[in-house]
Amino acid sequence: SLSDKLQGVLSDLRRRGKLSEADLKKALREIRLALLEADVNFRVVKEFVARVRERALGAEVSKSLTPGQEVVKIVHEELADLMGKGSSKLAFAGRPPTVILLCGLQGSGKTTASAKLALQLRKEGKSPALAACDLARPAAIDQLEQLGCQIQVPTYALRGTGDAVAAARHGLEQARAQGRDVLILDTAGRLHVDEQLMDDLVAVRQTVRPHDVLLVLDAMTGQDAVTVAEAFARRVAFDGVIMTKLDGDARGGAALSVKAVTGVPITFTSSGEKLEPLEAFHPARMASRILG
Amino acid sequence: LVGWRYNPDDLDAWEGLEDILIAADCGMATTQEVVEALERRHPRSEEDVSTGLEEIVAALASPRGEPTLDLSARPAVILVVGVNGTGKTTTIGKLASRLAASGRSVIVAAADTYRAAAEEQLEVWARRAGADFVGSSRGGDPAAVAFDAIEAAQARGRDVVIVDTAGRLHTQTNLMEELAKMRRVIAAKLDGAPHETLLVVDATTGQNGVRQARLFDEAVSVTGVVLTKLDGTAKGGAVLAIGNEVGLPVKLVGVGEHLDDLQPFDARDFARALVG
Ligand SMILES: Nc1nc2c(ncn2[C@@H]2O[C@H](COP(=O)(O)OP(=O)(O)OP(=O)(O)O)[C@@H](O)[C@H]2O)c(=O)[nH]1
Ligand SMILES: Nc1nc2c(ncn2[C@@H]2O[C@H](COP(=O)(O)OP(=O)(O)OP(=O)(O)O)[C@@H](O)[C@H]2O)c(=O)[nH]1
Ligand SMILES: [Mg+2]
Ligand SMILES: [Mg+2]
């Protein structure tokens, strides 16, 4: 583990009494390797390592009887601090329905997350509804309807059209008519570089005026997470992230990359295919996972 | 290589190259290997660097030479596997269409009997590709669907059977065992089958891709990788480590969501895009 590596690298620091440039270089190299291995974006790693370097030169390390442990502590603190800043709660509307829009790359887990979110809100005493706004993927509407059925949440769909804006509008009208207090819109997966689809998403956003826009991000996403997040942030200004597939062994460094680059916190995590509530985000836990 | 100013003493240039490879998801170990291989060639010009990188990267991505599909058996059986959401079902639709265009008759088997609307999704693709469709009731035994599809291919004289499976994480031991069982059922049903076992990997995948490849290969002996979503900005560098450490060649590339968005893997093109 990084902790072991850092203890090893800085083991004789106590005897020599102060942190040499060579010791520091070795320690920072281990930290950089651990973060890159965890899929944190290489530019974010550079900035993070620079921040750790500054703190590592301070008295807390050189005066410590266990300098290795001290550096590990600094790394954990800086990471958890970075991940945890900012509120990561859903915003609810003064007047219902609260509108929540999910977006993200193909296959990231949006449809599943929409249903999990609906289930969670239903268990919290809300009366949520789902709107199927992916009109491109074969059987996408079927998929959301089947999930909605499993969790007893109404699903609004508009078949026979490829117009996502129309489907979104229809969903909102239905939610209002049926007195639902939360509407969750599932959208089609799209590439941040597909101008047409990004324009579509902006149009859907403008039509339903969501109180929350959530970017759904796969935990195994690598370096590209930064490019994707920046593009989505620029076009639709998401205010929360749902990181999915955390039940695997991907370290999830993309979480740090997205937070560092957009400032948007992770709101929920998903750790399984089964329809159960999403989990609240735990910054310290995520930091440990990323560090390995 | 855009912006590369080669000078063997220019450490910044070498660091810049490292950054390009890491940014492409090659990972630290593979990046170091590529850089060392380039150094050993003693490049003297920008041209040498580009050519050198292309050759080194191309070799890593195709560890077994020409990456073609073995369709000599009749029916030839292709098993498609991978973690959740990578593009297995869509790839099967595209592959069925390509095979049909080359004059082969195809059956697709909906052996994802777990996920909501998985069979409906594959059925739409089968229709678009002009392939026969074999499914089962939801929650049925996936191995039985594969068995039924091979049986149907033999009965109807079809050339290829492509088996779609449910997405699963390589860390889910029970699901990996289910996949191993499906492979055994296929092999028992038809000697030599499955003739191809394709692991579908998302180009946005980071270092976890190597883990996926290793465990799926251990469970079902993967014969090739399909790298999907290369139409995005991700470079898919994880396949270099997959080729180098697990020995799996990339055979196909997914470049979009439509029926014709599947291409045979071209190592030189891939290398050029990766370092460019
Ligand atoms: N193991 C695991 N699988 C998940 C998780 N979330 C989603 N999945 C699976 O990932 C796959 C893709 O999920 P979807 O919900 O269809 O993803 P999507 O983003 O809606 O996909 P598109 O609409 O095609 O862009 C499915 O097999 C899901 O069951 C998770 O937290 N853990
Ligand atoms: N842009 C792009 N999208 C793709 C590509 N291949 C697949 N997709 C999309 O990725 C999403 C997931 O594709 P699926 O075929 O459902 O993936 P899967 O692996 O079968 O998913 P599960 O069965 O749930 O594990 C869909 O929205 C596809 O349209 C590709 O090459 N490029
Ligand atoms: Mg979806
Ligand atoms: Mg599928």
Side-chain angles (χ1 to χ4, degrees):
Chain A
S1 72
L2 176 64
S3 183
D4 298 333
K5 295 204 185 100
L6 288 179
Q7 313 273 34
V9 160
L10 302 176
S11 56
D12 70 336
L13 192 60
R14 187 180 357 158
R15 259 186 291 121
R16 284 183 285 108
K18 74 180 197 65
L19 191 63
S20 75
E21 197 56 44
D23 292 327
L24 187 57
K25 214 156 166 271
K26 272 197 235 150
L28 294 178
R29 182 170 188 279
E30 289 302 332
I31 294 165
R32 177 171 178 254
L33 267 140
L35 294 175
L36 287 177
E37 197 177 89
D39 291 326
V40 178
N41 182 269
F42 77 105
R43 285 206 181 92
V44 173
V45 171
K46 285 187 183 172
E47 287 171 23
F48 183 81
V49 167
R51 188 152 45 281
V52 168
R53 180 177 195 283
E54 249 176 79
R55 278 192 63 183
L57 288 172
E60 68 197 302
V61 173
S62 54
K63 295 248 186 314
S64 167
L65 292 179
T66 53
Q69 281 184 29
E70 215 54 45
V71 176
V72 174
K73 185 158 146 290
I74 289 170
V75 175
H76 269 273
E77 277 178 19
E78 286 296 323
L79 203 52
D81 193 56
L82 224 154
M83 308 276 280
K85 269 210 202 74
S87 140
S88 57
K89 293 251 174 314
L90 281 181
F92 286 94
R95 253 182 54 221
T98 291
V99 178
I100 305 174
L101 179 67
L102 270 66
C103 61
L105 295 180
Q106 290 88 347
S108 57
K110 299 173 292 301
T111 303
T112 308
S114 301
K116 288 181 157 204
L117 184 57
L119 173 66
Q120 163 181 338
L121 292 173
R122 204 203 72 200
K123 288 193 167 181
E124 286 173 10
K126 297 261 185 306
S127 57
L130 290 160
C133 300
D134 178 353
L135 307 176
R137 170 172 156 155
I141 296 176
D142 293 330
Q143 184 186 5
L144 191 66
E145 281 183 341
Q146 287 179 22
L147 296 181
C149 191
Q150 281 178 44
I151 56 170
Q152 291 140 12
V153 168
T155 306
Y156 308 130
L158 205 60
R159 282 195 165 78
T161 176
D163 188 355
V165 169
R169 186 176 295 120
H170 169 79
L172 189 54
E173 287 165 1
Q174 287 290 309
R176 284 186 181 134
Q178 296 187 5
R180 310 305 293 181
D181 61 11
V182 184
L183 178 65
I184 299 163
L185 296 108
D186 179 25
T187 63
R190 72 203 64 228
L191 293 176
H192 49 300
V193 289
D194 187 324
E195 284 306 320
Q196 173 68 33
L197 289 187
M198 290 305 280
D199 287 345
D200 266 15
L201 183 61
V202 172
V204 166
R205 192 195 199 292
Q206 285 172 345
T207 304
V208 299
R209 297 161 148 278
H211 304 88
D212 303 279
V213 178
L214 304 175
L215 178 74
V216 179
L217 182 70
D218 193 322
M220 65 192 196
T221 310
Q223 299 290 311
D224 202 45
V226 163
T227 318
V228 173
E230 282 179 328
F232 271 85
R234 189 171 53 249
R235 303 289 328 260
V236 290
F238 57 94
D239 12 48
V241 175
I242 300 178
M243 180 160 263
T244 62
K245 306 177 202 171
L246 276 168
D247 44 322
D249 57 5
R251 300 259 288 272
L256 174 61
S257 303
V258 173
K259 178 69 173 43
V261 156
T262 65
V264 178
I266 307 244
T267 319
F268 299 115
T269 61
S270 171
S271 300
E273 292 189 84
K274 279 184 47 240
L275 291 183
E276 34 190 36
L278 295 167
E279 297 114 23
F281 177 63
H282 292 282
R285 240 180 259 171
M286 193 69 210
S288 296
R289 179 183 180 126
I290 287 175
L291 290 174
Chain B
L1 245 180
V2 181
W4 174 272
R5 283 283 162 266
Y6 183 67
N7 169 2
D9 302 325
D10 181 357
L11 293 176
D12 283 344
W14 284 101
E15 189 176 315
L17 173 60
E18 261 198 22
D19 285 350
I20 289 172
L21 295 170
I22 290 181
D25 286 312
C26 295
M28 210 50 221
T30 299
T31 294
Q32 285 176 346
E33 219 166 301
V34 170
V35 169
E36 282 165 15
L38 183 64
E39 284 173 340
R40 282 197 296 274
R41 293 167 68 113
H42 303 295
R44 294 191 206 295
S45 64
E46 206 166 316
E47 178 78 20
D48 285 351
V49 172
S50 311
T51 312
L53 283 174
E54 272 179 40
E55 290 180 4
I56 295 163
V57 170
L60 285 176
S62 36
R64 289 180 210 158
E66 248 351 279
T68 50
L69 290 180
D70 177 12
L71 303 170
S72 53
R74 199 151 177 284
V77 180
I78 304 173
L79 179 62
V80 179
V81 304
V83 304
N84 310 69
T86 54
K88 298 176 290 300
T89 305
T90 307
T91 295
I92 290 171
K94 298 171 183 176
L95 184 55
S97 176
R98 256 186 95 80
L99 294 171
S102 71
R104 293 184 173 85
S105 54
V106 183
I107 287 188
V108 299
D112 176 356
T113 57
Y114 170 77
R115 208 207 68 210
E119 288 162 316
E120 294 89 316
Q121 183 188 6
L122 185 64
E123 198 161 16
V124 172
W125 282 112
R127 209 168 38 242
R128 290 178 181 177
D132 281 6
F133 174 86
V134 167
S136 82
S137 53
R138 173 117 189 271
D141 177 17
V145 178
F147 182 96
D148 291 347
I150 295 173
E151 186 133 275
Q154 289 167 324
R156 302 175 206 170
R158 296 290 182 262
D159 300 315
V160 190
V161 175
I162 312 177
V163 182
D164 191 13
T165 62
R168 70 204 66 221
L169 297 179
H170 48 289
T171 46
Q172 293 170 306
T173 352
N174 57 330
L175 295 183
M176 294 306 282
E177 178 46 41
E178 175 190 81
L179 203 58
K181 170 180 166 231
M182 181 180 307
R183 189 206 157 81
R184 286 194 296 270
V185 165
I186 291 173
K189 175 66 180 148
L190 181 64
D191 236 1
H195 307 94
E196 288 285 345
T197 297
L198 302 177
L199 174 69
V200 181
V201 175
D202 189 322
T204 63
T205 308
Q207 297 314 294
N208 199 245
V210 187
R211 293 271 308 142
Q212 293 172 22
R214 193 161 279 135
L215 290 172
F216 272 89
D217 187 39
E218 276 172 27
V220 290
S221 279
V222 175
T223 59
V225 167
V226 179
L227 184 61
T228 59
K229 308 178 198 174
L230 217 49
D231 45 321
T233 50
K235 300 293 175 97
V239 298
L240 296 191
I242 290 175
N244 198 28
E245 296 173 37
V246 192
L248 307 182
V250 182
K251 297 201 173 189
L252 297 163
V253 170
V255 292
E257 303 188 76
H258 301 293
L259 203 59
D260 55 0
D261 290 330
L262 188 69
Q263 298 168 357
F265 179 66
D266 183 311
R268 294 303 289 255
D269 283 349
F270 175 78
R272 216 162 290 137
L274 195 127
V275 296

